[in-house]
């Protein structure tokens, strides 16, 4: 029996921790344990067992072993180790991302008084003028207080210290109820070291349970009221049982139900709640393959049973999804599991509907819109082998699918596969490594593959499969480019929608067809500026302009003071001022048009149209999206405006017209991938048109009609775009002709962040140039401050991944020696966003 074990913890430290094993505990590699860490109880994963502890280490002991057998298989542990090494992320944070089981552990936060807090409380009671006086709360010298508190705030601090004075830990909910303390106030007291924070963790039952009312047969019926008879009649009509939630929806009172229970006519049973996959019903049979699809399927089928990466390049509407479903069926016939990754939750209702029709209860769903209990339940189903078909967003790549044989990455170019928080992995690249470790086939599908994947196919690392025609030989939509510079010269008006787009939309609606309009900005206006002094209304926490939003209930025809300004980075909100905060001018100017203003203008132009909007403001959850898509598929909505959410994967056969408004603004952004993103977005949204029996048409409004990305997208010519873009990338040594990492240094103090960035930049320049690593920067990040954190960054480029990795590891070690906290240093390997 091992006496010690190594545990990976979800903390920003690049090593594991040694813990002792108590008698009776049997931890295994890959199992979860609860361990003490500082003043907290954390959940970690055992990575190794040992008979002896490392020398000179003060060993603490495991609190509890949560799993009798390993939850992570050896190949998943190996995948986690590779992910941590490749993306330079702490192993514990990688393993936490692989185990979406937070619902199975109950975490409780406690506070207790610290020694300094006792001194402060005693001084206040004794009337020490340094700390306050009896009955007047606690006040410290101004220089020692980070924020100025009101007299009421001082009273709350005193109440907190008095409540904790016994020395016993108090649960945070109890403390807040007893003292009316806010979480920010408790955090401030914690920073001043007046109180200490502790956490406890304990295992809990995360099964979702549902309560049923069950009719007791052959029960003797006494005299019943009208409501009691109604409940019994409902139960009898539904095979003698109904969920309590359904009875409530039918306005049957729970008090009447309890009376029936007491009288022995009904009993209440608690059962595991069934997971409903949901989704939209399929509009066509998924397995009627044409010759090109059949050839693609045959190629994939032959490769099953071993590692083989494929790039499935199929134009929009070529039937890639049908190939995916057929390939999963072939894998299932051989007893193999499959994972299908989709880039956003927005694609899962339609995909889930297809999978439900094809595979039924063999499908599991994993994405962030599920509740913690639902994620835990789905993860357990997959691990037991009850669901050999897994569909989900990027985190689903870590699903514990047994006997994995096939991984499919739909829209593999999509940047939402890249996680923007630690661990900053790209699910597409992790999918390739997982397939290699599992001996599985991996298929990356897209109409607009990333240049990295295309380059790998050109070099022979991936096998490329082409689907060059749409199903049933339907034509690609014709694309019309509208030069918005000339549009303004000719019309003399600054309109959101061009005359051609309005006329063609009107004609499509009159024919009974549907239209989509992409307006890739949220909100009503994306900036507010004073015409008198030029002041821009920025977020108080971020170096970014506030976006103007109107409430749905407001009169959208008028901009008024008091409407909402919102930051899309930190969530800060304020009302629209009546006058400029700087110069008191009343002349505020609203710049730009978002999807909300686009919807308003469409209502004015087409008063009889059935208009919907799809963006992050109208789609906040799984149910919202499903309802909106159902209305679109049924024809209840015939004109949809939205952000890039409307561009991805939707297959609506009645859509014949697509308008593209303002998708080219990113060409002016400081991002070497800007042209690729514009080409992909234009091509993807254009592909929503003409997917049924009627031909499609696309109207693209642009200020850059001669840009090669716009021209190639309008001609549906991916290879022409690649040839032009690769010349630029090769010349500048950008991916795929080099490797890249973005290093972000951040701090709440600008001087500190700037000093750290300069220190690391100097180290890299002095130590890494011989290794072929080029350092750009450091400099202020394009968005210099987010959530009151100042940001400086450096971009590292190299022809050698080994040299880049060595440079980054050396930099992290140097930062540690210089006392730069690891949480203040973000290393984003293969970064997709440089803002």
């Amino acid at each position: 029996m091992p006496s010690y074990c190594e545990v990976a913890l979800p903390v920003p430290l690049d090593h594991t921790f040694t813990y002792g094993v108590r008698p009776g505990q049997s931890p295994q590699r890959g199992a979860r344990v609860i361990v003490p860490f500082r003043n907290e109880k954390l959940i970690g994963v055992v990575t190794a067992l040992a008979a002896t502890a490392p020398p000179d280490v003060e060993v603490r002991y495991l609190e509890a072993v949560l799993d009798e057998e390993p939850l992570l298989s050896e190949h998943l542990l190996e995948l986690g180790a590779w992910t941590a090494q490749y993306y330079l992320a702490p192993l514990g944070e990688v393993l936490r991302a692989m185990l979406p089981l937070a619902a199975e552990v109950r975490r409780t936060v406690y506070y207790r008084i610290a020694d300094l807090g006792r001194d402060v409380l005693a001084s206040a009671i004794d009337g020490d003028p340094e700390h306050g006086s009896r009955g007047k709360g606690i006040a410290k010298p101004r220089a020692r207080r980070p924020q100025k508190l009101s007299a009421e705030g001082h009273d709350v601090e005193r109440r907190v210290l008095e409540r904790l004075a016994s020395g016993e830990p108090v649960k945070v909910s109890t403390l807040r109820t007893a003292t009316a303390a806010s979480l920010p106030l408790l955090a401030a007291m914690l920073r001043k070291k007046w109180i200490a924070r502790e956490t406890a963790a304990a295992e809990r039952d995360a099964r979702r349970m549902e309560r049923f009312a069950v009719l007791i047969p052959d029960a003797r019926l006494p005299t019943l009221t009208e409501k009691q008879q109604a409940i019994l009649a409902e139960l009898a009509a539904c095979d003698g049982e109904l969920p309590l939630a359904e009875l409530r929806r039918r306005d049957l009172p729970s008090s009447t139900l309890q009376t029936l229970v007491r009288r022995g006519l009904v009993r209440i049973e608690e059962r595991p709640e069934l997971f409903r996959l949901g989704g939209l019903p399929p509009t066509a049979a998924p397995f009627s393959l044409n010759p090109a699809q059949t050839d693609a399927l045959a190629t994939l089928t032959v490769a099953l049973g071993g590692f083989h990466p494929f790039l499935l390049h199929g134009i929009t509407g070529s039937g890639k999804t049908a190939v995916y479903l057929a390939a999963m069926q072939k894998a299932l016939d051989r007893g193999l599991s499959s994972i299908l990754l989709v880039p956003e939750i927005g694609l899962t209702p339609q995909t889930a509907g297809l999978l439900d029709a094809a595979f039924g209860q063999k499908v599991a769903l994993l994405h962030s819109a599920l509740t913690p209990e639902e994620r835990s339940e789905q993860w357990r189903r997959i691990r037991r082998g009850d669901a050999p078909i897994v569909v989900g967003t990027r985190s689903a790549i870590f699903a514990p699918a047994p006997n994995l044989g096939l991984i499919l990455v739909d829209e593999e170019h999509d940047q939402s596969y890249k996680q923007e928080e630690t661990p900053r992995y790209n699910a597409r690249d992790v999918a390739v490594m997982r397939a290699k470790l599992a001996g599985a086939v991996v298929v990356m599908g897209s109409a607009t593959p990333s240049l990295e994947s295309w380059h790998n196919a050109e070099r022979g690392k991936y096998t490329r499969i082409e689907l060059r025609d749409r199903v049933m030989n339907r034509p690609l939509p014709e694309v019309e480019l509208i030069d918005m510079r000339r549009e303004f010269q000719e019309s003399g008006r600054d309109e959101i929608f061009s005359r051609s787009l309005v006329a063609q939309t009107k004609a499509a609606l009159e024919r009974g067809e549907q239209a989509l309009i992409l307006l890739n900005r949220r909100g009503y206006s994306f900036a507010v500026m004073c015409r008198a002094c030029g002041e821009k209304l920025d977020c108080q926490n971020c170096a970014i302009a506030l976006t103007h939003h109107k409430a749905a209930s407001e009169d959208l025809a008028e901009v008024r003071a008091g409407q909402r300004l919102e930051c899309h980075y930190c969530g800060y909100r304020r009302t629209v001022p009546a006058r400029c905060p700087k110069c008191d001018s009343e002349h505020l100017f609203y710049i730009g048009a978002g999807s909300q203003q686009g919807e308003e203008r469409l209502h004015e132009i087409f008063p009889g149209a059935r208009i919907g909007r799809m963006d992050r403001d109208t789609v906040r959850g799984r149910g919202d999206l499903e309802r909106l898509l159902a209305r679109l598929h049924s024809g209840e909505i015939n004109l949809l405006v939205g952000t890039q959410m409307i561009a991805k994967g939707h297959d609506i056969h009645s859509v014949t017209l697509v308008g593209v408004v303002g998708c080219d603004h990113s060409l002016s952004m400081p991002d070497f991938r800007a042209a690729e993103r514009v080409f992909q977005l234009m091509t993807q949204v254009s592909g929503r048109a003409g997917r049924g029996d009627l031909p499609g048409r696309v109207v693209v409004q642009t200020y850059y009609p001669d840009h090669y990305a716009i021209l190639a997208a309008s001609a549906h010519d991916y290879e022409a775009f690649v040839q032009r873009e690769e010349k630029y990338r090769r010349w500048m040594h950008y991916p795929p002709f080099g490797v890249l990492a973005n290093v972000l240094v951040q701090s709440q103090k600008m001087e500190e962040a700037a000093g750290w960035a300069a220190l690391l930049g100097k180290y890299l320049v002095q130590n890494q140039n011989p290794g072929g690593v080029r350092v750009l920067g450091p400099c202020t990040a394009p968005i210099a401050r987010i959530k009151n954190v100042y940001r400086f960054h450096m971009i590292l480029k190299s022809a050698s991944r080994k040299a880049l990795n060595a440079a980054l590891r050396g930099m992290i070690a140097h930062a540690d020696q210089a006392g730069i906290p690891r949480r203040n240093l973000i290393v984003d390997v293969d970064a997709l966003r440089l803002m």
Side-chain angles (χ1 to χ4, degrees):
M1 183 67 67
S3 301
Y4 302 94
C5 61
E6 291 296 316
V7 179
L9 295 176
V11 294
L13 297 171
D14 295 304
H15 57 84
T16 58
F17 299 84
T18 304
Y19 285 90
V21 179
R22 300 181 190 275
Q25 293 179 334
S26 300
Q28 297 188 52
R29 175 172 151 84
R32 294 171 303 157
V33 292
I34 297 176
V35 299
F37 185 80
R38 296 175 181 166
N39 292 328
E40 300 190 48
K41 301 293 189 296
L42 298 182
I43 302 162
V45 176
V46 177
T47 60
L49 302 171
T52 59
D56 303 324
V57 172
E58 182 181 349
V59 175
R60 302 174 77 179
Y61 286 84
L62 302 179
E63 291 279 334
V65 178
L66 295 179
D67 308 307
E68 295 180 357
E69 58 182 30
L71 284 188
L72 294 175
S73 65
E74 285 298 321
H75 110 253
L76 279 176
L77 285 171
E78 190 176 354
L79 180 67
W82 176 86
T83 303
Q85 184 273 335
Y86 184 91
Y87 293 102
L88 299 172
L91 178 60
E93 297 195 331
V94 173
L95 297 182
R96 176 174 60 180
M98 298 176 74
L99 288 169
L101 303 177
E104 297 183 3
V105 178
R106 179 182 289 107
R107 294 177 61 84
T108 309
V109 177
Y110 295 89
Y111 285 98
R112 67 166 69 239
I113 193 167
D115 291 339
L116 184 56
R118 288 189 185 280
D119 295 342
V120 170
L121 182 61
S123 300
I125 294 173
D126 293 340
D128 186 341
E130 174 76 4
H131 295 89
S133 59
R134 191 190 307 265
K136 294 185 179 179
I138 299 169
K140 295 193 69 181
R142 186 180 302 272
R144 297 177 64 185
R145 183 178 298 281
Q147 287 185 326
K148 185 176 181 180
L149 291 174
S150 64
E152 182 183 355
H154 298 319
D155 289 338
V156 174
E157 285 184 332
R158 175 179 53 78
R159 291 199 297 269
V160 169
L161 294 178
E162 289 175 347
R163 179 66 179 84
L164 299 176
S166 66
E168 294 296 319
V170 177
K171 191 184 299 186
V172 63
S173 56
T174 304
L175 184 63
R176 294 185 66 196
T177 301
T179 64
S182 65
L183 289 176
L185 185 137
L186 291 175
M189 296 180 71
L190 189 65
R191 288 193 297 270
K192 292 185 287 189
K193 299 184 179 179
W194 291 3
I195 59 177
R197 182 179 183 270
E198 300 176 355
T199 62
E203 195 170 6
R204 66 179 286 262
D205 187 354
R207 290 178 299 173
R208 297 180 306 117
M209 304 302 290
E210 191 172 20
R211 301 182 74 201
F212 281 77
V214 181
L215 191 63
I216 297 177
D218 303 325
R220 185 176 179 181
L221 294 179
T223 304
L224 300 172
T225 66
E226 184 177 341
K227 290 181 179 179
Q228 291 170 349
Q229 292 178 20
I231 290 179
L232 294 180
E234 290 287 347
L235 293 176
C238 298
D239 297 325
E241 59 182 45
L242 269 176
L244 264 59
E246 181 61 31
L247 286 175
R248 285 192 294 271
R249 280 194 290 270
R250 300 183 186 191
D251 295 325
L252 298 172
S254 57
S255 58
T256 305
L257 178 63
Q258 292 305 318
T259 301
L260 293 173
V261 172
R262 287 194 299 270
R263 301 180 74 174
L265 301 175
V266 175
R267 68 174 181 269
I268 305 298
E269 293 183 359
E270 196 172 53
R271 305 172 185 172
E273 185 177 350
L274 295 177
F275 180 80
R276 295 167 180 84
L277 188 64
L280 299 172
T283 56
F287 291 113
S288 52
L289 304 183
N290 62 28
Q293 292 170 310
T294 303
D295 291 344
L297 175 62
T299 302
L300 300 179
T301 304
V302 169
L304 286 174
F307 170 62
H308 203 130
F310 291 93
L311 175 62
L312 178 58
H313 178 217
I315 63 171
T316 56
S318 60
K320 294 184 291 294
T321 302
V323 175
Y324 298 157
L325 296 177
M328 285 190 281
Q329 183 62 60
K330 294 291 186 183
L332 193 61
D333 293 342
R334 298 190 183 191
L336 301 174
S337 299
S338 300
I339 296 175
L340 170 61
L341 298 183
V342 293
E344 290 196 31
I345 299 169
L347 284 181
T348 49
Q350 191 164 351
T351 307
L354 291 168
L355 291 166
D356 188 38
F359 304 110
Q361 288 300 308
K362 295 179 181 178
V363 180
L365 195 61
L366 282 176
H367 58 70
S368 59
L370 301 179
T371 65
E373 289 78 13
E374 287 174 333
R375 281 200 295 272
S376 174
E377 175 188 288
Q378 293 297 290
W379 194 91
R380 294 283 184 181
R381 286 184 65 224
I382 297 166
R383 186 172 179 273
R384 289 194 304 266
D386 296 343
I389 304 292
V390 181
V391 60
T393 50
R394 59 176 175 260
S395 62
I397 191 55
F398 298 121
N403 203 18
L404 182 62
L406 178 65
I407 302 174
L408 302 139
V409 186
D410 190 28
E411 309 294 358
E412 65 86 30
H413 66 276
D414 199 286
Q415 63 182 8
S416 61
Y417 282 125
K418 185 74 159 71
Q419 178 141 308
E420 294 302 319
E421 58 190 26
T422 304
R424 295 171 180 266
Y425 66 91
N426 189 319
R428 177 197 66 205
D429 299 333
V430 175
V432 176
M433 179 52 64
R434 180 162 188 191
K436 183 176 181 180
L437 295 174
V441 168
V442 58
V443 181
M444 289 151 285
S446 177
T448 55
S450 64
L451 262 68
E452 291 85 348
S453 294
W454 185 265
H455 187 65
N456 282 332
E458 290 286 290
R459 294 167 59 198
K461 294 180 69 175
Y462 301 165
T463 300
R464 190 164 77 224
I465 301 173
E466 297 279 357
L467 296 176
R468 297 184 177 275
D469 300 307
R470 282 188 156 186
V471 295
M472 301 180 68
N473 291 317
R474 291 169 180 148
L476 285 166
E478 294 183 12
V479 180
E480 177 187 356
L481 294 181
I482 305 295
D483 186 344
M484 293 303 289
R485 300 168 300 182
R486 181 176 298 175
E487 177 76 11
F488 178 75
Q489 293 171 358
E490 294 176 355
S491 68
R493 299 192 304 272
D494 184 16
E495 295 284 357
I496 303 173
F497 305 116
S498 64
R499 294 165 297 172
S500 177
L501 178 56
V502 170
Q504 294 190 53
T505 302
K506 181 181 179 182
L509 297 180
E510 289 176 348
R511 293 192 300 266
E513 299 161 5
Q514 290 176 296
L516 303 180
I517 295 180
L518 171 74
L519 211 171
N520 199 26
R521 291 270 194 163
R522 279 177 59 196
Y524 191 85
S525 302
F526 45 80
V528 182
M529 180 178 288
C530 175
R531 285 188 181 274
C533 68
E535 179 75 2
K536 182 162 53 74
L537 297 186
D538 284 342
C539 173
Q540 68 175 15
N541 306 316
C542 309
I544 199 76
L546 291 168
T547 300
H548 174 220
H549 290 258
K550 289 184 178 181
S553 59
E554 292 177 350
D555 178 10
L556 294 181
E558 180 184 358
V559 175
R560 302 192 304 273
Q563 294 170 346
R564 174 166 56 97
L565 296 174
E566 180 177 343
C567 175
H568 292 166
Y569 284 85
C570 72
Y572 167 75
R573 294 183 179 186
R574 61 161 294 176
T575 57
V576 177
R579 309 179 76 86
C580 173
K582 184 177 180 180
C583 73
D584 202 38
S585 168
E586 62 181 6
H587 301 294
L588 295 178
F589 179 51
Y590 295 80
I591 301 172
S595 55
Q596 191 180 25
Q597 188 176 159
E599 180 190 22
E600 170 195 302
R601 185 72 183 110
L602 290 173
H603 275 292
E604 295 171 354
I605 299 171
F606 308 110
R610 304 181 299 277
I611 299 172
R613 174 161 56 95
M614 182 186 289
D615 56 27
R616 293 297 178 194
D617 299 309
T618 61
V619 177
R620 296 188 176 274
R622 186 177 51 183
D624 295 336
L625 180 63
E626 218 163 283
R627 285 188 290 272
L628 183 58
L629 288 176
R631 292 174 62 205
L632 183 63
H633 280 264
S634 68
E636 182 182 341
I637 293 173
N638 62 356
L639 177 55
L640 181 69
V641 61
T643 57
Q644 62 182 352
M645 293 177 70
I646 72 172
K648 299 174 182 178
H650 306 301
D651 186 20
I652 302 101
H653 287 194
S654 297
V655 172
T656 59
L657 178 69
V658 167
V660 183
V661 179
C663 86
D664 56 0
H665 70 271
S666 60
L667 290 174
S668 60
M669 301 293 283
D671 186 352
F672 73 90
R673 285 192 170 92
E676 183 180 11
R677 291 203 177 106
V678 169
F679 175 85
Q680 290 168 344
L681 183 57
M682 267 190 64
T683 302
Q684 292 291 334
V685 73
S686 299
R688 301 314 106 203
R691 298 173 77 94
D693 295 330
L694 298 173
R697 187 167 179 82
V698 181
V699 179
V700 178
Q701 299 181 182
T702 178
Y703 286 93
Y704 303 96
D706 299 322
H707 194 282
Y708 65 91
I710 303 289
L711 292 172
S714 65
H716 307 289
D717 194 342
Y718 174 80
E719 295 188 17
F721 167 74
V722 168
Q723 289 174 6
R724 183 73 178 268
E725 182 71 6
E726 281 188 340
K727 289 181 181 178
Y728 157 67
R729 300 278 186 96
R730 185 181 288 108
W731 177 48
M732 297 297 294
H733 304 288
Y734 278 123
F737 302 101
V739 289
L740 175 147
N742 188 33
V743 176
L744 192 67
V745 183
Q746 55 186 16
S747 172
Q748 291 184 331
K749 299 177 182 178
M750 184 176 67
E751 299 82 3
E752 192 172 55
W756 288 342
L759 181 70
L760 296 180
K762 183 177 180 181
Y763 165 81
L764 287 168
V765 170
Q766 290 177 347
N767 293 274
Q768 301 305 329
N769 274 341
V773 177
R774 185 179 180 188
V775 182
L776 307 180
C779 63
T780 305
I783 302 178
R785 180 170 51 94
I786 295 179
K787 298 179 181 179
N788 280 326
V789 173
Y790 293 92
R791 311 163 76 242
F792 290 79
H793 79 146
M794 296 170 282
I795 296 175
L796 277 64
K797 297 194 296 183
S798 176
S800 164
R801 185 167 296 281
K802 183 178 179 180
L804 178 67
N805 191 284
L808 292 171
R809 289 192 178 279
M811 181 201 67
I812 292 172
H814 183 71
D816 186 50
Q817 293 172 2
I820 302 175
R822 185 66 170 89
R823 67 175 61 87
N824 294 77
L825 179 63
I826 295 174
V827 178
D828 191 359
V829 177
D830 297 339
L832 295 185
R833 292 184 176 93
L834 303 177
M835 300 298 288

